[in-house]
Amino acid sequence: MSLPYFMRSAASTSENGTSSWIETEEMKNFVHEAGHAVVARLTGFPVAWVSVDAAFIRMDPLAIENECNHGSAVCLTVSSDRLNPILNRRSALNKQDKETVVGYCMHVLAGPLSERRFDPDSFDPLPSLNDYGQVAQVLASVSRSDKVLKKRLFIAARRQLKKMLCENWCLVTRVATAIKNNRTLSGDELDSLIFGAEMEKAA
């Protein structure tokens, strides 16, 4: 299978290795955010935008409202309308609730797992501690001390995410390249990249 140019470029080495290393380190951020964005959309969560433009992120009203305007790379996924009712409910989770929780965990974990898939040799989990923390917090809340349920939800999220990334890696690389070139993608631009062919047929 032919790899996109940037994948070949990042995997290759220059005479001193410096250029290739820099390209790989930069591309990690793009792939990380692309992973979040693609899996969010494939699991049914809207994405307002995805950006690696710190100035845009700092001033965006949605980023300010959600207190995520201090980062240099953000995928702003709209999940509260689906997730909060589950977190606030006292009753046991039904099938749809579990699917929502698993989908949420998948899109959060998709950042670090995409980054690791892109460059497994130098993957560092420390920058993704916030992602892991979000998943742990949600699972702890919905499982309500049920360790078996918590483990099952996590395993389901990991298993389905690995399969989704394997089957849709071309979409992740496509979106990562677009993030690299444009710095910021709106939700509509993201959907066009992911669902473009389907949207054209529907029109």
Side-chain angles (χ1 to χ4, degrees):
M1 182 175 66
S2 177
L3 293 175
Y5 170 76
F6 85 81
M7 295 288 286
R8 296 198 302 270
S9 176
S12 64
T13 56
S14 60
E15 290 185 2
N16 59 15
T18 302
S19 177
S20 177
W21 178 81
I22 292 173
E23 289 177 8
T24 301
E25 290 303 305
E26 289 179 341
M27 190 56 65
K28 284 181 185 179
N29 288 331
F30 309 142
V31 170
H32 184 114
E33 299 307 323
H36 284 313
V38 169
V39 174
R41 294 305 293 123
L42 294 180
T43 52
F45 288 95
V47 173
W49 48 259
V50 55
S51 181
V52 292
D53 182 343
F56 169 85
I57 295 169
R58 186 169 59 252
M59 299 302 295
D60 181 77
L62 275 177
I64 295 171
E65 179 183 342
N66 288 276
E67 299 181 352
C68 60
N69 62 317
H70 302 297
S72 58
V74 173
C75 172
L76 205 157
T77 304
V78 182
S79 58
S80 58
D81 59 332
R82 291 178 59 188
L83 193 62
N84 285 354
I86 299 173
L87 297 177
N88 296 330
R89 194 182 305 144
R90 289 295 181 181
S91 58
L93 300 182
N94 59 38
K95 182 180 179 181
Q96 185 176 358
D97 293 339
K98 291 177 183 178
E99 290 175 351
T100 298
V101 171
V102 167
Y104 175 83
C105 293
M106 286 172 65
H107 107 267
V108 176
L109 292 173
L113 261 65
S114 294
E115 188 178 332
R116 186 172 70 180
R117 180 185 173 97
F118 171 70
D119 186 21
D121 292 337
S122 66
F123 174 69
D124 181 2
L126 289 179
S128 300
L129 287 181
N130 186 53
D131 291 332
Y132 299 131
Q134 287 183 49
V135 170
Q137 185 176 7
V138 166
L139 290 179
S141 179
V142 299
S143 63
R144 300 180 180 87
S145 301
D146 185 340
K147 294 182 179 180
V148 174
L149 174 60
K150 181 180 178 180
K151 184 176 181 180
R152 284 178 179 172
L153 292 172
F154 180 74
I155 290 174
R158 289 269 300 189
R159 182 179 65 250
Q160 293 179 40
L161 174 57
K162 287 181 179 180
K163 184 174 185 292
M164 184 173 286
L165 288 177
C166 182
E167 294 175 348
N168 297 279
W169 188 243
C170 61
L171 294 179
V172 176
T173 59
R174 182 187 303 168
V175 172
T177 301
I179 294 172
K180 175 185 177 182
N181 293 335
N182 298 285
R183 312 302 290 176
T184 299
L185 297 176
S186 69
D188 288 342
E189 289 169 333
L190 177 64
D191 280 358
S192 180
L193 289 167
I194 298 173
F195 306 115
E198 298 176 13
M199 293 169 69
E200 288 177 7
K201 289 180 182 178

